[in-house]
Amino acid sequence: MTRKDQDKGASPWLVLGVPIALGLAWVTQGTGVIENDLERNIWIPDELTMPLQVQAAYNGEQIFFRYRWPASQPHVYHDMLRYEDGEWIRHGRSVPGPDPDGTYEDRVAMLVDDGGVPQFSRYGGYITVGDQMRFFSNSASPADVRAHPHLGETLGESDVRKYLPATRSDQNDWRSVVDADVLQAQREAGYFLDLWHWRAGRSNAIGASDDQWVGDYRHGDAGSGPFTTNWDGDNSQPRWMLDPDQTGQRALRWEDVTSGGVDFDGIYYLSEDNRTDFDPDHDWQNGDVIPRRLLREPAGSRGDIRVHEGPARWEDGYWDVTLIRDMDTRSPLDDKAFREQGVYDIGIGVYRNATGSRWHYVSHPYTVGLGREADFQAMAFDGDSPDWSNDWFDMTLFYPGQVDWPLLVSRAHAGAEDIAEGKPVRPRHSEKQLALYGVEMEFNDAITSRWLMTLIAGLIAMLGTTLALLPSFRSTRQGDRS
């Protein structure tokens, strides 16, 4: 074979193999731009961290927590019914990212523990994020949850929400709920988290806060909460409207609801004190709006938390919210009691910019002390109202992304061994690091897919180059020359 013949044999690989491999390598590379995918429940906030200031105080009978955080505008409208061409259209469902009309309330939520859930002090709210949570890309189907003997048939739920690790026998399977008698024993032993839950739309206007707990699910405390549903499903219309004799109006206006402004001294909510029965014969106009939530005085253990000197207000770009509760509510299966010389673990989440579900900012776990050393101190005082002379405790909250507890304790997480040894997260990871890790996990499938495609493209390029150059390394004998 002549050198000319050899060159002819190498040409197809050079002409076709290498360009194809380079083309594959090019298409498998990302642009570096994060693209939201609402169909897969992916929406990344512009800011991955935010500041929060906290104070605490107690007088021996009651405990106070004060929260202050920036928000570009207040969102107090939540779940509204807008009249349009003879129909009442619902706005404000929980969706990926911000509600497009801004009709989703701001919130602050605080998890509290007294040592009954040891993992919480080390890993905070991460331990409550289990397998296939709602609004994750792989969230459990509503049909599967409704068919579950505990979550669906007993609790009547259709999605997977916060739960604690020991309430499942298999961390990789939300279905593996332990037996009912074990769940009850865990709760009686204090294996649950107390959840203080202030809502700008569904509780604040009447000076109330919601009171919940997390064990096998996110439950409301015994009693009734600060809101109920204003909807007559049989007639596809509201049950109640604003009482015109009291308020001078029957409804709000859509342009006011979506304007971004709130008159805290005016009427922007529907409650037991300003309602009347809905009048279907009224001459309703397009753009009339009636809240789909009726605010009511909470009762029982669920009504233990109030807004101090409420309602809270947004002013000059900040929410300033102070909640008050008895230190000991005498409800040991619902609440964690606060006592002098006690140290308590807390984790705080904030919702702003009309977002709900998992699109919130969360804190590391911190400790608050009542006369004992902790990350920050609750101020002891006499009287009915603290003067807040103690300093603010500054926190940085972060967007957690799609990071769940099953992932963190699996071999896919480099820090799983540290978790197994009980090493806490706060000394090892900053809020920015955790936010970036959370965003990375949002796109984990795409990143893995592109990595594999790039690897294959690289191997093809190497193979093509090798085959193209192979004839050049063959020995040339004297007799082969032409």
Side-chain angles (χ1 to χ4, degrees):
M1 179 184 292
T2 66
R3 174 59 57 88
K4 184 176 181 180
D5 292 332
Q6 292 174 352
D7 291 343
K8 286 181 179 180
S11 179
W13 291 105
L14 288 169
V15 174
L16 297 176
V18 174
I20 290 174
L22 292 175
L24 283 171
W26 180 79
V27 299
T28 58
Q29 299 307 304
T31 63
V33 177
I34 293 175
E35 296 181 357
N36 294 322
D37 186 350
L38 301 186
E39 292 186 359
R40 297 182 57 241
N41 293 326
I42 293 177
W43 181 86
I44 309 301
D46 293 333
E47 297 177 278
L48 295 181
T49 62
M50 63 163 281
L52 173 71
Q53 295 177 300
V54 184
Q55 291 177 307
Y58 67 104
N59 60 9
E61 296 294 329
Q62 297 171 312
I63 189 162
F64 302 72
F65 280 92
R66 185 183 180 192
Y67 318 87
R68 186 175 185 267
W69 71 92
S72 59
Q73 66 183 63
H75 289 93
V76 302
Y77 297 107
H78 184 93
D79 208 357
M80 314 300 282
L81 298 169
R82 177 176 61 89
Y83 186 80
E84 196 69 29
D85 298 332
E87 295 184 14
W88 290 94
I89 301 170
R90 182 181 179 185
H91 293 266
R93 298 173 186 266
S94 190
V95 297
D99 178 81
D101 302 310
T103 52
Y104 209 90
E105 66 190 350
D106 292 335
R107 290 184 281 161
V108 61
M110 181 176 72
L111 292 166
V112 180
D113 185 45
D114 57 1
V117 187
Q119 289 171 312
F120 180 69
S121 66
R122 298 191 289 271
Y123 311 111
Y126 278 125
I127 71 167
T128 70
V129 186
D131 173 49
Q132 293 188 260
M133 299 281 286
R134 73 168 182 157
F135 282 107
F136 272 51
S137 294
N138 67 339
S139 58
S141 75
D144 287 347
V145 179
R146 282 193 291 265
H148 189 271
H150 179 70
L151 298 181
E153 296 176 10
T154 300
L155 301 183
E157 303 296 344
S158 60
D159 54 29
V160 179
R161 302 196 187 185
K162 295 182 186 298
Y163 65 81
L164 297 182
T167 67
R168 301 302 194 271
S169 59
D170 181 354
Q171 297 306 303
N172 296 303
D173 187 0
W174 61 266
R175 303 170 184 83
S176 62
V177 182
V178 299
D179 293 340
D181 58 341
V182 176
L183 292 176
Q184 182 62 24
Q186 289 177 348
R187 189 177 175 191
E188 292 173 356
Y191 186 72
F192 70 91
L193 297 175
D194 195 356
L195 174 57
W196 296 38
H197 196 168
W198 173 87
R199 308 169 190 261
R202 287 176 286 178
S203 68
N204 181 61
I206 59 172
S209 176
D210 211 346
D211 193 357
Q212 301 173 306
W213 62 277
V214 176
D216 57 310
Y217 197 77
R218 192 188 77 186
H219 297 275
D221 284 10
S224 56
F227 61 90
T228 189
T229 302
N230 177 29
W231 183 245
D232 178 356
D234 293 335
N235 297 301
S236 298
Q237 63 187 28
R239 294 182 182 274
W240 304 287
M241 63 181 185
L242 290 170
D243 184 349
D245 294 335
Q246 293 188 58
T247 66
Q249 61 194 89
R250 290 175 173 80
L252 309 175
R253 289 295 301 168
W254 184 244
E255 57 267 24
D256 295 329
V257 168
T258 57
S259 69
V262 181
D263 179 5
F264 286 96
D265 294 317
I267 299 299
Y268 60 93
Y269 59 92
L270 181 71
S271 74
E272 290 179 320
D273 294 334
N274 66 16
R275 71 172 179 184
T276 190
D277 290 340
F278 178 76
D279 181 4
D281 298 323
H282 176 69
D283 184 20
W284 297 102
Q285 301 296 308
N286 286 350
D288 283 341
V289 175
I290 295 177
R292 191 176 169 274
R293 300 295 183 177
L294 175 78
L295 305 190
R296 63 185 183 184
E297 190 65 23
S301 177
R302 195 163 179 180
D304 286 335
I305 305 171
R306 307 292 303 182
V307 179
H308 181 54
E309 298 179 349
R313 298 194 175 209
W314 175 93
E315 188 175 1
D316 297 330
Y318 285 84
W319 273 110
D320 195 328
V321 178
T322 301
L323 301 182
I324 177 175
R325 199 204 76 181
D326 285 348
M327 292 178 64
D328 187 352
T329 65
R330 307 297 194 273
S331 299
L333 297 183
D334 291 341
D335 302 317
K336 300 289 184 169
F338 291 88
R339 295 181 173 86
E340 178 68 42
Q341 290 297 305
V343 175
Y344 302 88
D345 302 303
I346 64 170
I348 300 176
V350 167
Y351 298 77
R352 62 178 184 173
N353 302 328
T355 59
S357 189
R358 68 178 184 83
W359 286 275
H360 58 347
Y361 296 87
V362 301
S363 77
H364 275 303
Y366 291 94
T367 55
V368 56
L370 278 64
R372 279 178 59 201
E373 184 177 351
D375 292 320
F376 72 103
Q377 287 290 318
M379 179 183 68
F381 73 98
D382 295 321
D384 297 326
S385 182
D387 61 12
W388 299 118
S389 58
N390 56 329
D391 294 333
W392 288 103
F393 181 72
D394 293 317
M395 296 183 182
T396 297
L397 274 56
F398 61 93
Y399 172 67
Q402 293 195 47
V403 177
D404 59 30
W405 189 244
L407 168 68
L408 292 176
V409 298
S410 72
R411 287 188 294 180
H413 176 219
E417 193 171 304
D418 293 329
I419 293 176
E421 294 175 0
K423 297 178 180 179
V425 63
R426 184 150 60 97
R428 305 178 70 81
H429 295 291
S430 70
E431 293 86 356
K432 185 176 181 180
Q433 286 176 324
L434 293 176
L436 292 174
Y437 182 52
V439 171
E440 178 183 326
M441 294 313 302
E442 298 264 13
F443 299 94
N444 185 58
D445 291 344
I447 291 171
T448 302
S449 175
R450 285 189 180 276
W451 181 84
L452 288 173
M453 292 175 68
T454 301
L455 176 63
I456 293 171
L459 292 174
I460 292 175
M462 292 173 60
L463 178 62
T465 302
T466 300
L467 291 174
L469 297 177
L470 187 61
S472 301
F473 295 98
R474 291 175 180 168
S475 60
T476 304
R477 291 173 297 180
Q478 187 71 26
D480 290 335
R481 293 179 180 176
S482 55

